[in-house]
Amino acid sequence: MSESLESWAVARAGLSAGAPCTFSPVSGDASFRQYFRLRDAAGASFIAVSAPPDKEDNEAFISVRDLLAAGGTAVPELHAYDPVAGYMLLSDFGDTLLLGELNAANVDDWYGSACGTLLNLQKIDAAVLPEYDAAQLGSEMRLFDEWFVAGLLGYELTGDQMQMLAVLRDELIAAAVSQPQVLVHRDYHSRNLMVLEGDELGVIDFQDARRGPVTYDLVSLLRDCYVQWPAEQVRGWALEYRNMAQAASIITDIDDAEFMRWFDLMGLQRHLKVLGIFARLSLRDGKDAYLKDLPLVVDYTYSVAEHYPEAERLVKLFNDTLLPLIKRQSWWSEPS
């Protein structure tokens, strides 16, 4: 595949066959896409992508890319596309992820920039996008039952426990669909934000965008599955974003308590989903690197659940059954 993709990319980049260039793999993601960097002797650089059409929705990638670009978001330029092979040639955003740049001294500035980029995303008319609806929100949370609890921990839920989780899912879905619905990236975090020249932030991995809850991307960013910040700092950022969104008429006036309830319960939905996805990536796809990130996601899930009456029985399930099993796992470590 890589030889075929290289030949295709060299031709589409306007390089002559046999011209001096390098073609090297770039770190991938949780999907079936593979990335390679094509660099010519003059230093021009492109990203060549193999995205199998039977496994990846390449048309969605292109349509969302065009939508975001038209709205002023920095996204990779599409230079060429082969729909049959699933090959794309993109501009190169480099290797500097926001995650690697963050520290306690600069995080306020970087998150201010990331929130500004998010605000611009949410101003884009999302009417053409599929709805992030109740069915999808629910099916994502059921990954927790199947892949994390049953698959990774090897525990068979009782009928009462399954019913409790079903009721909780309904409550979390109700909280999500009651929010203003905007463009949602669905994986807006420090590994999908690239630091470009002039410290501009570029956005990648956007192909799954939907029209959904206003707090979804915010909680993805501020309760990032790969980095953790103090709870009060997160609360301050969340409420400041609320103020920005109100000033931009994305949301109407809402008090601190109600907005934080939206934010927290949206995060609980997302993190139940992520526990299932990270477990599935390991068990089904052999991508065990995601296991090291599970302790932080467990901590996010538990720490939010214990503050909301509707999640009281989830806390009991963790205390009585899941945490003892979790703490026996080779990947477990106490979150800092």
Side-chain angles (χ1 to χ4, degrees):
M1 181 277 300
S2 62
E3 290 181 3
S4 172
L5 176 61
E6 180 178 3
S7 298
W8 179 86
V10 165
R12 298 311 182 279
L15 306 179
S16 59
C21 64
T22 60
F23 191 76
S24 54
V26 179
S27 296
D29 56 21
S31 72
F32 292 96
R33 293 182 295 274
Q34 293 180 286
Y35 300 86
F36 298 82
R37 176 169 284 117
L38 173 66
R39 194 187 303 273
D40 69 14
S45 188
F46 304 86
I47 296 296
V49 185
S50 172
D54 61 329
K55 295 183 172 65
E56 299 294 335
D57 190 346
N58 295 324
E59 301 303 326
F61 176 92
I62 293 168
S63 63
V64 174
R65 193 220 74 85
D66 292 347
L67 181 67
L68 299 190
T73 300
V75 291
E77 183 178 350
L78 179 67
H79 295 291
Y81 171 50
D82 182 333
V84 176
Y87 293 167
M88 287 181 273
L89 189 68
L90 305 174
S91 58
D92 187 357
F93 271 7
D95 295 311
T96 307
L97 301 178
L98 178 59
L99 177 62
E101 302 301 296
L102 295 172
N103 58 53
N106 67 23
V107 67
D108 281 321
D109 290 337
W110 278 124
Y111 275 21
S113 179
C115 284
T117 299
L118 177 57
L119 192 72
N120 287 335
L121 281 175
Q122 293 190 346
K123 290 177 182 177
I124 296 172
D125 185 352
V128 299
L129 294 175
E131 185 181 357
Y132 198 5
D133 60 14
Q136 187 167 14
L137 290 163
S139 67
E140 289 176 348
M141 285 186 281
R142 286 192 289 274
L143 297 174
F144 170 78
D145 307 22
E146 178 183 0
W147 289 98
F148 183 74
V149 176
L152 197 62
L153 300 183
Y155 177 72
E156 183 176 352
L157 292 162
T158 67
D160 285 348
Q161 289 166 340
M162 288 189 286
Q163 177 61 26
M164 176 273 293
L165 289 169
V167 170
L168 177 61
R169 284 193 294 270
D170 287 344
E171 290 173 333
L172 295 179
I173 290 167
V177 300
S178 71
Q179 299 179 32
Q181 305 292 292
V182 297
L183 189 152
V184 177
H185 178 289
R186 292 182 62 218
D187 225 5
Y188 191 83
H189 57 68
S190 62
R191 285 188 177 178
N192 286 331
L193 295 172
M194 308 291 297
V195 179
L196 309 179
E197 288 186 14
D199 288 343
E200 180 184 14
L201 290 178
V203 179
I204 61 172
D205 204 18
F206 42 71
Q207 63 282 339
D208 294 326
R210 294 289 187 272
R211 185 175 70 259
V214 69
T215 61
Y216 191 93
D217 283 344
L218 185 65
V219 79
S220 301
L221 175 70
L222 301 185
R223 290 200 180 120
D224 191 326
C225 297
Y226 309 109
V227 61
Q228 186 176 30
W229 305 100
E232 280 308 304
Q233 199 168 10
V234 169
R235 175 182 169 83
W237 289 328
L239 292 176
E240 179 58 29
Y241 189 83
R242 184 271 317 270
N243 296 341
M244 293 166 61
Q246 286 180 167
S249 300
I250 291 170
I251 59 175
T252 56
D253 288 350
I254 180 171
D255 65 26
D256 292 3
E258 183 62 16
F259 186 80
M260 290 308 300
R261 182 177 185 276
W262 282 358
F263 179 85
D264 284 341
L265 296 185
M266 193 75 260
L268 187 53
Q269 186 278 340
R270 175 172 168 78
H271 292 124
L272 287 170
K273 175 186 79 169
V274 170
L275 288 172
I277 287 176
F278 284 4
R280 185 176 67 183
L281 284 166
S282 172
L283 296 171
R284 187 190 71 182
D285 303 331
K287 297 182 178 182
D288 295 331
Y290 289 90
L291 295 178
K292 72 179 187 304
D293 301 306
L294 283 172
L296 176 54
V297 187
V298 169
D299 183 59
Y300 282 145
T301 304
Y302 184 90
S303 62
V304 168
E306 65 180 345
H307 287 98
Y308 288 89
E310 49 266 70
E312 181 179 2
R313 293 184 64 196
L314 178 65
V315 173
K316 179 174 173 56
L317 175 62
F318 268 88
N319 285 336
D320 293 350
T321 304
L322 301 186
L323 283 176
L325 294 172
I326 287 168
K327 291 179 179 180
R328 296 176 198 164
Q329 304 298 311
S330 60
W331 46 262
W332 174 253
S333 62
E334 292 288 344
S336 57

